[in-house]
Amino acid sequence: MSRPWRWVVVVVATGIGFLIAFEFGQWDPFGWFPEKESDRISVAGAFGGAMAAVIALAVGWWAGGSGGDGGNSVRQRARASGTSQISQDGGRTAPGRVDQQARADGDSRIEQRGGGEAEEPSS
């Protein structure tokens, strides 16, 4: 799942979690909340907000990449022969994973750079 869709899941899950906790707080099966309606709604709102914060924290951790693959990944499978060249560049930002599976025969050349590494100047 792409990162933007993960954040959509965070927003939806947090909203649904708040509504469920708020309704549960108004239901008050144990009789712990105040009898006055305005106080009951305030306490139910606080309970819903606390539960929404817990849900947002847990699902946000997943959406931020810590619970996923650790960020973007760069993968390549290649085979070169003769005087061919295989290059892989992870870009300027450090990806979560750089994976290259390459096979070279003859005078071939294989080069791999992960994100954030300085590029060599062109001659």
Side-chain angles (χ1 to χ4, degrees), residues 47-68:
F47 178 68
M51 293 298 103
V54 169
I55 292 168
L57 181 65
V59 183
W61 173 78
W62 166 75
S66 297

Side-chain angles (χ1 to χ4, degrees), residues 23-93:
E23 289 300 320
F24 182 76
Q26 284 188 323
W27 178 45
D28 188 23
F30 304 110
W32 294 342
F33 292 163
E35 293 296 322
K36 188 176 174 185
E37 185 67 22
S38 62
D39 291 342
R40 180 184 295 260
I41 289 174
S42 296
V43 171
F47 178 68
M51 293 298 103
V54 169
I55 292 168
L57 181 65
V59 183
W61 173 78
W62 166 75
S66 297
D69 61 0
N72 298 328
S73 62
V74 179
R75 296 181 185 179
Q76 179 185 48
R77 294 182 81 185
R79 181 176 179 184
S81 60
T83 58
S84 301
Q85 178 178 342
I86 298 173
S87 296
Q88 180 181 29
D89 190 348
R92 291 233 177 251
T93 60

